[in-house]
Amino acid sequence: AQSVAQPEDQVNVAEGNPLTVKCTYSVSGNPYLFWYVQYPNRGLQFLLKYITGDNLVKGSYGFEAEFNKSQTSFHLKKPSALVSDSALYFCAVRGSGAGSYQLTFGKGTKLSVIP
Amino acid sequence: GAGVSQSPSNKVTEKGKDVELRCDPISGHTALYWYRQRLGQGLEFLIYFQGNSAPDKSGLPSDRFSAERTGESVSTLTIQRTQQEDSAVYLCASSLIPAGVSPNEQFFGPGTRLTVL
C-alpha cells in the first residue's frame, strides 16, 4: 500500500524567509509525486509534480520541490515566502505501475506566513 | 476555460435522509474522481470513473454510498441514510488523460460541504 507522511501539521515562517514543507512517501516501484495547495473554501490547486528526470522540480507561484529517492522525500520549498502563500498544502503519491491511478494524499500542512 | 464545478456548495441534512451531490468535470476530461475530506484530514479516495470502463469503487466506505457518471460528463455521488460521520467536504476532480496512461494532474472542484445533523 502507498502512503504519504507530512510530519508537520503547521509551519510558521516570516515573510521573505525561505520555507520548507516536508513530505515523505512509501510506494511500490517508482513514485509519481505531486504537491497541491488549498486556499480557504476552495478546491485543491495543482502546484507541481515529479515524474522522472531532474530531481528538482519547479512549479507554480515560485515553488519548487526536491525528489530524494534514498530518503523517500519530496519536500516543498520556496526561497522567499509571501503572506499570500498562507494555505493548506498537500503532498500526494501514486505508483507507476499499470492501473496505479489512485492518488494517496498526506494529511496536509498548514502554512502561515507572518508579515 | 471553465473548471470543475460542484453543487451544492453546502448541504445540511438530517440523519437518515438521502443526499445527492453533483460534479461537472472539465469538458473533454475522461477521468473523474470523488474524494472525501474530513476536518483536519487528508483526502480519502472514494471512486474513479474512466470513460466507459467499469468504475473503481474500492474507496466507497459503505453500501450507502454510490456514484454514477453519464459518459464523460456529469457525475452524481449519492449517500443514502446519511449518518453524522458522513459530515465532510466531498471533492470531485477530473483529469485529461487517464492517470494510468500518464500521470497527469487532477483538477479539483471547490467541493460540497455536507453537514449531517
Side-chain angles (χ1 to χ4, degrees):
Chain A
Q2 56 197 36
S3 65
V4 173
Q6 293 182 242
E8 301 155 317
D9 291 338
Q10 176 144 358
V11 170
N12 297 322
V13 63
E15 185 177 22
N17 282 3
L19 68 87
T20 299
V21 182
K22 296 179 180 177
C23 170
T24 58
Y25 67 90
S26 175
V27 70
S28 297
N30 294 321
Y32 295 144
L33 293 154
F34 301 79
W35 275 102
Y36 286 84
V37 59
Q38 185 177 35
Y39 297 101
N41 301 315
R42 302 273 297 274
L44 275 70
Q45 295 179 31
F46 169 77
L47 274 181
L48 51 80
K49 65 182 177 183
Y50 171 82
I51 305 303
T52 187
D54 194 346
N55 289 343
L56 185 64
V57 178
K58 294 188 182 297
S60 305
Y61 312 120
F63 284 92
E64 58 189 28
E66 186 167 13
F67 170 62
N68 187 316
K69 187 173 183 178
S70 63
Q71 297 185 2
T72 61
S73 68
F74 190 55
H75 301 330
L76 182 70
K77 300 180 180 183
K78 187 173 182 180
S80 178
L82 300 173
V83 173
S84 58
D85 293 331
S86 298
L88 191 56
Y89 290 81
F90 290 95
C91 180
V93 68
R94 58 164 278 230
S96 55
S100 298
Y101 47 76
Q102 278 195 35
L103 273 183
T104 299
F105 286 82
K107 291 186 176 181
T109 298
K110 183 180 180 181
L111 173 67
S112 294
V113 181
I114 303 162
Chain B
V4 177
S5 61
Q6 293 185 245
S7 61
S9 54
N10 282 283
K11 177 70 176 178
V12 180
T13 190
E14 295 179 347
K15 178 181 173 181
K17 300 284 189 181
D18 297 351
V19 296
E20 188 172 280
L21 312 180
R22 176 187 170 108
C23 172
D24 284 89
I26 294 172
S27 178
H29 280 197
T30 56
L32 186 147
Y33 310 76
W34 282 98
Y35 295 90
R36 178 169 69 179
Q37 184 180 22
R38 288 187 163 132
L39 186 64
Q41 301 294 315
L43 275 69
E44 299 173 67
F45 166 79
L46 295 178
I47 189 169
Y48 163 72
F49 294 92
Q50 167 45 39
N52 295 319
S53 300
D56 177 355
K57 304 179 181 180
S58 61
L60 295 179
S62 79
D63 59 6
R64 296 186 294 105
F65 287 72
S66 63
E68 293 184 350
R69 187 184 186 193
T70 306
E72 295 183 353
S73 60
V74 172
S75 175
T76 55
L77 176 68
T78 301
I79 309 174
Q80 295 179 312
R81 306 181 302 282
T82 53
Q83 304 294 313
Q84 288 183 333
E85 64 261 28
D86 298 335
S87 296
V89 176
Y90 289 83
L91 290 166
C92 175
S94 68
S95 64
L96 180 60
I97 299 173
V101 173
S102 71
N104 273 4
E105 59 269 27
Q106 297 174 18
F107 293 83
F108 283 80
T112 294
R113 182 176 299 277
L114 175 65
T115 303
V116 182
L117 302 177

PDB file of all heavy atoms in Angstrom, chain B residues 15-35:
ATOM      1  N   LYS B  15     -29.975  13.402   9.849  1.00  0.00           N
ATOM      2  CA  LYS B  15     -29.573  12.000   9.882  1.00  0.00           C
ATOM      3  C   LYS B  15     -30.695  11.126   9.321  1.00  0.00           C
ATOM      4  O   LYS B  15     -31.874  11.318   9.648  1.00  0.00           O
ATOM      5  CB  LYS B  15     -29.258  11.601  11.328  1.00  0.00           C
ATOM      6  CG  LYS B  15     -28.873  10.163  11.523  1.00  0.00           C
ATOM      7  CD  LYS B  15     -28.601   9.891  12.996  1.00  0.00           C
ATOM      8  CE  LYS B  15     -28.382   8.406  13.225  1.00  0.00           C
ATOM      9  NZ  LYS B  15     -28.141   8.113  14.671  1.00  0.00           N
ATOM     10  N   GLY B  16     -30.299  10.209   8.451  1.00  0.00           N
ATOM     11  CA  GLY B  16     -31.271   9.294   7.870  1.00  0.00           C
ATOM     12  C   GLY B  16     -31.776   9.701   6.498  1.00  0.00           C
ATOM     13  O   GLY B  16     -32.349   8.879   5.770  1.00  0.00           O
ATOM     14  N   LYS B  17     -31.564  10.958   6.123  1.00  0.00           N
ATOM     15  CA  LYS B  17     -32.005  11.430   4.806  1.00  0.00           C
ATOM     16  C   LYS B  17     -30.980  11.053   3.736  1.00  0.00           C
ATOM     17  O   LYS B  17     -29.814  10.804   4.028  1.00  0.00           O
ATOM     18  CB  LYS B  17     -32.157  12.957   4.826  1.00  0.00           C
ATOM     19  CG  LYS B  17     -33.156  13.482   5.820  1.00  0.00           C
ATOM     20  CD  LYS B  17     -34.583  13.280   5.337  1.00  0.00           C
ATOM     21  CE  LYS B  17     -35.556  14.006   6.253  1.00  0.00           C
ATOM     22  NZ  LYS B  17     -36.955  13.817   5.842  1.00  0.00           N
ATOM     23  N   ASP B  18     -31.436  11.017   2.499  1.00  0.00           N
ATOM     24  CA  ASP B  18     -30.537  10.779   1.373  1.00  0.00           C
ATOM     25  C   ASP B  18     -30.076  12.124   0.804  1.00  0.00           C
ATOM     26  O   ASP B  18     -30.827  13.108   0.818  1.00  0.00           O
ATOM     27  CB  ASP B  18     -31.254  10.003   0.268  1.00  0.00           C
ATOM     28  CG  ASP B  18     -31.702   8.620   0.703  1.00  0.00           C
ATOM     29  OD1 ASP B  18     -31.318   8.181   1.820  1.00  0.00           O
ATOM     30  OD2 ASP B  18     -32.443   7.975  -0.067  1.00  0.00           O
ATOM     31  N   VAL B  19     -28.850  12.161   0.293  1.00  0.00           N
ATOM     32  CA  VAL B  19     -28.348  13.373  -0.358  1.00  0.00           C
ATOM     33  C   VAL B  19     -27.709  12.996  -1.688  1.00  0.00           C
ATOM     34  O   VAL B  19     -27.206  11.884  -1.866  1.00  0.00           O
ATOM     35  CB  VAL B  19     -27.326  14.144   0.503  1.00  0.00           C
ATOM     36  CG1 VAL B  19     -27.966  14.667   1.772  1.00  0.00           C
ATOM     37  CG2 VAL B  19     -26.104  13.303   0.798  1.00  0.00           C
ATOM     38  N   GLU B  20     -27.735  13.959  -2.608  1.00  0.00           N
ATOM     39  CA  GLU B  20     -27.127  13.764  -3.913  1.00  0.00           C
ATOM     40  C   GLU B  20     -26.224  14.952  -4.209  1.00  0.00           C
ATOM     41  O   GLU B  20     -26.648  16.106  -4.142  1.00  0.00           O
ATOM     42  CB  GLU B  20     -28.213  13.633  -4.978  1.00  0.00           C
ATOM     43  CG  GLU B  20     -27.699  13.229  -6.337  1.00  0.00           C
ATOM     44  CD  GLU B  20     -28.829  12.923  -7.309  1.00  0.00           C
ATOM     45  OE1 GLU B  20     -29.381  11.825  -7.252  1.00  0.00           O
ATOM     46  OE2 GLU B  20     -29.157  13.824  -8.116  1.00  0.00           O
ATOM     47  N   LEU B  21     -24.987  14.661  -4.539  1.00  0.00           N
ATOM     48  CA  LEU B  21     -24.000  15.691  -4.828  1.00  0.00           C
ATOM     49  C   LEU B  21     -23.630  15.583  -6.303  1.00  0.00           C
ATOM     50  O   LEU B  21     -23.496  14.489  -6.847  1.00  0.00           O
ATOM     51  CB  LEU B  21     -22.745  15.489  -3.957  1.00  0.00           C
ATOM     52  CG  LEU B  21     -22.990  15.244  -2.470  1.00  0.00           C
ATOM     53  CD1 LEU B  21     -21.676  15.064  -1.738  1.00  0.00           C
ATOM     54  CD2 LEU B  21     -23.796  16.358  -1.848  1.00  0.00           C
ATOM     55  N   ARG B  22     -23.407  16.749  -6.913  1.00  0.00           N
ATOM     56  CA  ARG B  22     -23.190  16.771  -8.353  1.00  0.00           C
ATOM     57  C   ARG B  22     -21.813  17.316  -8.695  1.00  0.00           C
ATOM     58  O   ARG B  22     -21.313  18.212  -8.025  1.00  0.00           O
ATOM     59  CB  ARG B  22     -24.262  17.635  -9.019  1.00  0.00           C
ATOM     60  CG  ARG B  22     -24.107  17.824 -10.508  1.00  0.00           C
ATOM     61  CD  ARG B  22     -25.121  18.825 -11.044  1.00  0.00           C
ATOM     62  NE  ARG B  22     -24.831  19.184 -12.428  1.00  0.00           N
ATOM     63  CZ  ARG B  22     -25.570  18.786 -13.459  1.00  0.00           C
ATOM     64  NH1 ARG B  22     -26.619  18.004 -13.274  1.00  0.00           N
ATOM     65  NH2 ARG B  22     -25.266  19.158 -14.688  1.00  0.00           N
ATOM     66  N   CYS B  23     -21.238  16.769  -9.745  1.00  0.00           N
ATOM     67  CA  CYS B  23     -19.941  17.235 -10.234  1.00  0.00           C
ATOM     68  C   CYS B  23     -19.979  17.382 -11.751  1.00  0.00           C
ATOM     69  O   CYS B  23     -20.373  16.449 -12.468  1.00  0.00           O
ATOM     70  CB  CYS B  23     -18.840  16.249  -9.854  1.00  0.00           C
ATOM     71  SG  CYS B  23     -17.229  16.603 -10.601  1.00  0.00           S
ATOM     72  N   ASP B  24     -19.567  18.557 -12.220  1.00  0.00           N
ATOM     73  CA  ASP B  24     -19.409  18.791 -13.656  1.00  0.00           C
ATOM     74  C   ASP B  24     -17.919  18.891 -13.956  1.00  0.00           C
ATOM     75  O   ASP B  24     -17.288  19.887 -13.588  1.00  0.00           O
ATOM     76  CB  ASP B  24     -20.107  20.088 -14.074  1.00  0.00           C
ATOM     77  CG  ASP B  24     -21.597  19.932 -14.154  1.00  0.00           C
ATOM     78  OD1 ASP B  24     -22.258  20.149 -13.131  1.00  0.00           O
ATOM     79  OD2 ASP B  24     -22.073  19.576 -15.243  1.00  0.00           O
ATOM     80  N   PRO B  25     -17.348  17.914 -14.612  1.00  0.00           N
ATOM     81  CA  PRO B  25     -15.904  17.958 -14.864  1.00  0.00           C
ATOM     82  C   PRO B  25     -15.575  18.928 -15.984  1.00  0.00           C
ATOM     83  O   PRO B  25     -16.465  19.448 -16.663  1.00  0.00           O
ATOM     84  CB  PRO B  25     -15.598  16.518 -15.288  1.00  0.00           C
ATOM     85  CG  PRO B  25     -16.862  16.064 -15.959  1.00  0.00           C
ATOM     86  CD  PRO B  25     -17.976  16.711 -15.175  1.00  0.00           C
ATOM     87  N   ILE B  26     -14.304  19.150 -16.170  1.00  0.00           N
ATOM     88  CA  ILE B  26     -13.845  19.960 -17.290  1.00  0.00           C
ATOM     89  C   ILE B  26     -14.147  19.208 -18.589  1.00  0.00           C
ATOM     90  O   ILE B  26     -13.915  18.004 -18.689  1.00  0.00           O
ATOM     91  CB  ILE B  26     -12.341  20.259 -17.167  1.00  0.00           C
ATOM     92  CG1 ILE B  26     -12.103  21.155 -15.948  1.00  0.00           C
ATOM     93  CG2 ILE B  26     -11.796  20.906 -18.430  1.00  0.00           C
ATOM     94  CD1 ILE B  26     -10.635  21.372 -15.610  1.00  0.00           C
ATOM     95  N   SER B  27     -14.682  19.943 -19.552  1.00  0.00           N
ATOM     96  CA  SER B  27     -15.072  19.319 -20.816  1.00  0.00           C
ATOM     97  C   SER B  27     -13.882  18.615 -21.457  1.00  0.00           C
ATOM     98  O   SER B  27     -12.794  19.186 -21.579  1.00  0.00           O
ATOM     99  CB  SER B  27     -15.616  20.391 -21.766  1.00  0.00           C
ATOM    100  OG  SER B  27     -15.959  19.819 -23.007  1.00  0.00           O
ATOM    101  N   GLY B  28     -14.108  17.368 -21.855  1.00  0.00           N
ATOM    102  CA  GLY B  28     -13.051  16.609 -22.506  1.00  0.00           C
ATOM    103  C   GLY B  28     -12.221  15.759 -21.571  1.00  0.00           C
ATOM    104  O   GLY B  28     -11.446  14.904 -22.024  1.00  0.00           O
ATOM    105  N   HIS B  29     -12.367  15.983 -20.278  1.00  0.00           N
ATOM    106  CA  HIS B  29     -11.628  15.162 -19.321  1.00  0.00           C
ATOM    107  C   HIS B  29     -12.288  13.793 -19.208  1.00  0.00           C
ATOM    108  O   HIS B  29     -13.474  13.679 -18.909  1.00  0.00           O
ATOM    109  CB  HIS B  29     -11.584  15.846 -17.953  1.00  0.00           C
ATOM    110  CG  HIS B  29     -10.548  16.904 -17.854  1.00  0.00           C
ATOM    111  ND1 HIS B  29     -10.100  17.405 -16.644  1.00  0.00           N
ATOM    112  CD2 HIS B  29      -9.855  17.562 -18.813  1.00  0.00           C
ATOM    113  CE1 HIS B  29      -9.166  18.326 -16.878  1.00  0.00           C
ATOM    114  NE2 HIS B  29      -9.008  18.440 -18.186  1.00  0.00           N
ATOM    115  N   THR B  30     -11.480  12.777 -19.428  1.00  0.00           N
ATOM    116  CA  THR B  30     -12.036  11.430 -19.461  1.00  0.00           C
ATOM    117  C   THR B  30     -12.101  10.784 -18.078  1.00  0.00           C
ATOM    118  O   THR B  30     -12.893   9.888 -17.846  1.00  0.00           O
ATOM    119  CB  THR B  30     -11.189  10.538 -20.379  1.00  0.00           C
ATOM    120  OG1 THR B  30      -9.824  10.574 -19.930  1.00  0.00           O
ATOM    121  CG2 THR B  30     -11.254  11.017 -21.822  1.00  0.00           C
ATOM    122  N   ALA B  31     -11.260  11.218 -17.172  1.00  0.00           N
ATOM    123  CA  ALA B  31     -11.190  10.604 -15.846  1.00  0.00           C
ATOM    124  C   ALA B  31     -11.846  11.519 -14.816  1.00  0.00           C
ATOM    125  O   ALA B  31     -11.692  12.741 -14.857  1.00  0.00           O
ATOM    126  CB  ALA B  31      -9.753  10.325 -15.457  1.00  0.00           C
ATOM    127  N   LEU B  32     -12.590  10.914 -13.898  1.00  0.00           N
ATOM    128  CA  LEU B  32     -13.263  11.677 -12.844  1.00  0.00           C
ATOM    129  C   LEU B  32     -13.121  10.932 -11.529  1.00  0.00           C
ATOM    130  O   LEU B  32     -13.260   9.706 -11.474  1.00  0.00           O
ATOM    131  CB  LEU B  32     -14.737  11.860 -13.202  1.00  0.00           C
ATOM    132  CG  LEU B  32     -15.575  12.761 -12.285  1.00  0.00           C
ATOM    133  CD1 LEU B  32     -16.644  13.494 -13.083  1.00  0.00           C
ATOM    134  CD2 LEU B  32     -16.198  11.987 -11.151  1.00  0.00           C
ATOM    135  N   TYR B  33     -12.832  11.683 -10.486  1.00  0.00           N
ATOM    136  CA  TYR B  33     -12.571  11.119  -9.168  1.00  0.00           C
ATOM    137  C   TYR B  33     -13.466  11.798  -8.142  1.00  0.00           C
ATOM    138  O   TYR B  33     -13.729  12.993  -8.239  1.00  0.00           O
ATOM    139  CB  TYR B  33     -11.123  11.367  -8.735  1.00  0.00           C
ATOM    140  CG  TYR B  33     -10.073  10.988  -9.746  1.00  0.00           C
ATOM    141  CD1 TYR B  33      -9.825  11.791 -10.849  1.00  0.00           C
ATOM    142  CD2 TYR B  33      -9.302   9.839  -9.577  1.00  0.00           C
ATOM    143  CE1 TYR B  33      -8.849  11.456 -11.775  1.00  0.00           C
ATOM    144  CE2 TYR B  33      -8.320   9.505 -10.495  1.00  0.00           C
ATOM    145  CZ  TYR B  33      -8.099  10.315 -11.589  1.00  0.00           C
ATOM    146  OH  TYR B  33      -7.130   9.972 -12.503  1.00  0.00           O
ATOM    147  N   TRP B  34     -13.865  11.065  -7.125  1.00  0.00           N
ATOM    148  CA  TRP B  34     -14.518  11.621  -5.940  1.00  0.00           C
ATOM    149  C   TRP B  34     -13.627  11.322  -4.730  1.00  0.00           C
ATOM    150  O   TRP B  34     -13.115  10.194  -4.573  1.00  0.00           O
ATOM    151  CB  TRP B  34     -15.894  11.000  -5.707  1.00  0.00           C
ATOM    152  CG  TRP B  34     -16.987  11.523  -6.570  1.00  0.00           C
ATOM    153  CD1 TRP B  34     -17.485  10.963  -7.713  1.00  0.00           C
ATOM    154  CD2 TRP B  34     -17.767  12.706  -6.343  1.00  0.00           C
ATOM    155  NE1 TRP B  34     -18.513  11.721  -8.216  1.00  0.00           N
ATOM    156  CE2 TRP B  34     -18.712  12.795  -7.398  1.00  0.00           C
ATOM    157  CE3 TRP B  34     -17.767  13.693  -5.356  1.00  0.00           C
ATOM    158  CZ2 TRP B  34     -19.645  13.829  -7.490  1.00  0.00           C
ATOM    159  CZ3 TRP B  34     -18.682  14.717  -5.454  1.00  0.00           C
ATOM    160  CH2 TRP B  34     -19.614  14.785  -6.506  1.00  0.00           C
ATOM    161  N   TYR B  35     -13.486  12.354  -3.872  1.00  0.00           N
ATOM    162  CA  TYR B  35     -12.739  12.228  -2.633  1.00  0.00           C
ATOM    163  C   TYR B  35     -13.589  12.773  -1.483  1.00  0.00           C
ATOM    164  O   TYR B  35     -14.475  13.606  -1.686  1.00  0.00           O
ATOM    165  CB  TYR B  35     -11.450  13.056  -2.675  1.00  0.00           C
ATOM    166  CG  TYR B  35     -10.423  12.616  -3.685  1.00  0.00           C
ATOM    167  CD1 TYR B  35     -10.431  13.140  -4.977  1.00  0.00           C
ATOM    168  CD2 TYR B  35      -9.429  11.708  -3.350  1.00  0.00           C
ATOM    169  CE1 TYR B  35      -9.475  12.752  -5.908  1.00  0.00           C
ATOM    170  CE2 TYR B  35      -8.462  11.314  -4.274  1.00  0.00           C
ATOM    171  CZ  TYR B  35      -8.500  11.846  -5.545  1.00  0.00           C
ATOM    172  OH  TYR B  35      -7.555  11.469  -6.466  1.00  0.00           O
TER     173      TYR B  35
END
